[in-house]
Amino acid sequence: MADAASRLTRVAEQMLGVPLPLRIRAWDGSQAGPPGAPALVIRNRRALRRLLFKPGELGLARAWVAGDLDIEGDLYTALDAMAGLVWERGEDARGLAQAVRDPQVRAAALELLKLLGPPVPPAPPREEVRRRRHLHTRHSDKRAISHHYDVGNDFYELVLGPSMVYSCAYWGAVEEDATLESAQRDKLELVCRKLGLTPGRRLLDVGCGWGSMALHAAREHGVSVVGITLSQEQAVYARKRVADEGLADRVEIRVQDYRDVADGPYDAISSIGMAEHVGAERYLEYASTLHALLKPGGRLLNHQIARRPQRDESSYETDRFIDAYVFPDGELAPLGTTVTQLERAGFEVRDVESIREHYAHTLRRWVANLEAGWDRAVRLTSPGRARVWRLYMAACALAFEHNRIGVNQVLAVRTPEAGASGLPLRPRTWHG
C-alpha cells in the first residue's frame, strides 16, 4: 500500500481538527509530518484496528504494549504532544461517534477503514488486567499488589537501583549534584526526622516494599520496626536484606494487610506510596485503622500521590492505561480530600509538604535505568511488560512536571485530649 503515512496524517488531522505535531512512519516505509519532530511508528495495520475498536487512550496503550506502535525520537517530546491530542481531550467511543456526524470527519473515518485490513478486533495484550469495579477487599487488594510488584525483584533492581525505594526521592537544589541513591537516602531520612524517631521507639511501616525504610530507621535511628506488605516477593527480598545487615532483632517483615495488624500501639507509622492502593470507599477505614494503631501523641507520615480536584468529583474515572496495565484498582484523590479523611479519623494534620517536582526527577532517572538495561529488562519480564513500564514512568514524569498530578507528605498526629502535640514550635527544623 503506497504512502500510508500521508493518508494516515490526513485522516488524523481531519478527525482531530488540528495539525499533527508528530511525524508518522508507516509499515510500508512511508513517512509524513513535520521534519525533525519525533515519529509515531505504526508497525502494522493491527495498530489501526486497535484504535478502531478502542478509540483513545486504551487503544493506543494496547498498540504500544503489543509492539504495534512505537516512538522514534525523544519519548518525552512525543508523549507531551500526544497528551494534548488524546489524554487531555478524553476521547472515547461515544465522543468520536458524535464527531463522525461531521461530513469531513466521516470522510476521514471511511478513509481509515480502507487502511485497516480485516475489521477484526485484536485480542488485548496478555499484560492487560481487566477489572469491572474497584472492590478493595483483602483478596482483591492482594491480587492487585501481586500484579504490580511480583514481576521479579531483579527487574525492580534494574529500574530502581541499589536503594530499592519505589517512591519519590528527595533532591537537593541542583538535581545533578545528587545520585538517585543519595536522593532516596535523603527522602528516608526526611521521613524519619518528621516522625521524630529516637532509639527504643516502635515504628510500623505500612507498605514496606523491599524494606528500605525499615532498614534505614532501624540502622540510623535505633528503632524497632514492623514492616508489612502484601507481596510475597517483596517480603522474601526484604527479610534477606534484614538478615544480611544483622538487624533481625530490630526489624520484622510480615506479609499482612494493614487491616489485620493487631499488635499496636506504635510510636510512629510511615506509609510511603501505599495509600494510592486503598481506594476512596476504604480511605476513612484506612485512616481510622492507623489512628487506632498509634499511641496518643504518635505520628503518621502519609506520603501519597494526589490528583487535581474536579468540579464534579462524581465524574472522576481512573486512568484507563494505568488501571489496565500498571496499578489495578489504584485510585488517586485530591490533597484536600486526603487531609479531610485523616481529620475525620481523629488525626491533627500538622504539616503538608508538596514534593511534586522531586517525583518528576525520580521518574526520569528510573526511565534512564530501564532504557540503559533494556535487553535485560525484556529477558527478566517480557517485551510487553518492559514497554508498559517505559510508557508509564515517562508519562508520569510529564504529569508531575505539568502539575496534572502531585505528591505530598502529610504529617499527622494522634493528639491527646489535653492538646499537646509533642511537635516543636518550629517543626521544619527536620530538614537538617
Side-chain angles (χ1 to χ4, degrees):
M1 183 171 294
D3 204 18
S6 293
R7 296 173 69 183
L8 286 169
T9 299
R10 183 172 62 252
V11 167
E13 291 181 346
Q14 287 174 328
M15 297 188 76
L16 294 169
V18 294
L20 201 62
L22 302 172
R23 289 184 299 121
I24 287 183
R25 184 157 66 82
W27 60 90
D28 63 351
S30 62
Q31 297 190 47
L40 192 63
V41 181
I42 303 174
R43 298 194 184 282
N44 51 59
R45 290 184 291 179
R46 187 169 55 245
L48 305 182
R49 294 198 290 273
R50 292 190 187 280
L51 287 168
L52 174 69
F53 289 100
K54 280 292 179 183
E57 180 180 349
L58 189 55
L60 280 169
R62 286 177 172 178
W64 171 272
V65 175
D68 302 328
L69 194 69
D70 206 346
I71 289 172
E72 190 177 83
D74 186 73
L75 177 63
Y76 296 100
T77 301
L79 290 177
D80 223 3
M82 291 176 67
L85 297 177
V86 181
W87 288 278
E88 292 172 14
R89 290 166 66 103
E91 296 285 18
D92 57 18
R94 181 175 53 190
L96 289 177
Q98 293 171 347
V100 168
R101 295 173 185 169
D102 183 298
Q104 186 177 14
V105 175
R106 188 162 58 246
L110 291 172
E111 176 76 5
L112 181 62
L113 287 171
K114 294 176 184 177
L115 289 166
L116 284 175
V120 178
R126 64 184 179 88
E127 289 82 5
E128 183 170 315
V129 174
R130 278 170 272 185
R131 287 278 187 267
R132 291 186 177 179
R133 57 189 297 260
H134 297 174
L135 298 174
H136 292 288
T137 63
R138 286 168 172 79
H139 177 71
S140 68
D141 282 352
K142 189 166 187 176
R143 186 173 62 236
I145 293 296
S146 179
H147 170 83
H148 187 70
Y149 293 105
D150 293 342
V151 298
N153 292 327
D154 290 344
F155 174 78
Y156 278 100
E157 284 182 336
L158 186 154
V159 174
L160 303 180
S163 66
M164 286 299 280
V165 180
Y166 183 38
S167 56
C168 174
Y170 195 70
W171 302 90
V174 180
E175 181 210 351
E176 290 75 14
D177 290 346
T179 65
L180 177 60
E181 288 66 45
S182 66
Q184 289 291 13
R185 183 178 61 249
D186 289 348
K187 188 272 299 296
L188 297 177
E189 181 61 19
L190 177 65
V191 171
C192 291
R193 286 173 178 266
K194 288 183 176 183
L195 289 172
L197 299 183
T198 54
R201 294 199 172 187
R202 196 162 177 247
L203 169 70
L204 174 65
D205 187 27
V206 180
C208 66
W210 294 271
S212 299
M213 173 63 191
L215 287 165
H216 183 90
R219 184 197 319 113
E220 304 298 330
H221 295 269
V223 297
S224 297
V225 189
V226 172
I228 60 172
T229 175
L230 295 179
S231 167
Q232 290 284 353
E233 289 194 20
Q234 284 185 336
V236 169
Y237 189 97
R239 287 167 183 159
K240 184 178 186 304
R241 293 179 75 190
V242 169
D244 289 348
E245 292 206 27
L247 290 170
D249 60 328
R250 276 187 273 166
V251 179
E252 178 187 0
I253 304 296
R254 303 174 186 166
V255 178
Q256 189 175 37
D257 191 288
Y258 71 91
R259 289 163 285 198
D260 296 328
V261 177
D263 60 344
Y266 289 86
D267 297 288
I269 297 176
S270 54
S271 178
I272 306 173
M274 177 273 178
E276 297 89 342
H277 296 286
V278 170
E281 292 184 4
R282 299 282 188 183
Y283 203 92
L284 182 58
E285 176 187 15
Y286 158 81
S288 299
T289 299
L290 300 192
H291 184 270
L293 285 168
L294 278 172
K295 293 178 179 177
R299 301 181 192 179
L300 165 69
L301 192 287
N302 192 77
H303 176 121
Q304 182 178 340
I305 298 172
R307 61 176 172 85
R308 303 295 297 168
Q310 299 181 353
R311 289 192 176 185
D312 178 12
E313 279 293 314
S314 65
S315 66
Y316 167 68
E317 293 183 354
T318 57
D319 182 279
R320 294 181 183 182
F321 165 64
I322 290 180
D323 195 44
Y325 288 99
V326 185
F327 285 113
D329 290 354
E331 295 180 58
L332 301 183
L335 171 61
T337 301
T338 296
V339 168
T340 296
Q341 294 289 63
L342 290 170
E343 290 181 330
R344 287 181 64 198
F347 281 107
E348 180 188 8
V349 173
R350 295 298 305 245
D351 186 79
V352 177
E353 182 176 6
S354 172
I355 51 176
R356 173 174 61 82
E357 294 88 350
H358 293 255
Y359 219 154
H361 293 319
T362 306
L363 283 156
R364 283 181 177 262
R365 295 293 183 97
W366 290 343
V367 171
N369 285 347
L370 176 60
E371 291 176 341
W374 184 259
D375 291 342
R376 184 164 182 261
V378 168
R379 290 196 303 270
L380 290 171
T381 54
S382 69
R385 180 68 64 195
R387 291 172 67 82
V388 165
W389 276 80
R390 184 169 180 244
L391 176 61
Y392 146 64
M393 294 192 296
C396 283
L398 291 170
F400 281 110
E401 287 170 1
H402 295 313
N403 194 28
R404 291 194 285 269
I405 54 176
V407 61
N408 306 281
Q409 288 191 351
V410 179
L411 179 66
V413 181
R414 181 178 175 173
T415 303
E417 290 185 6
S421 70
L423 284 165
L425 291 177
R426 295 186 177 184
R428 286 288 175 105
T429 54
W430 51 59
H431 285 272

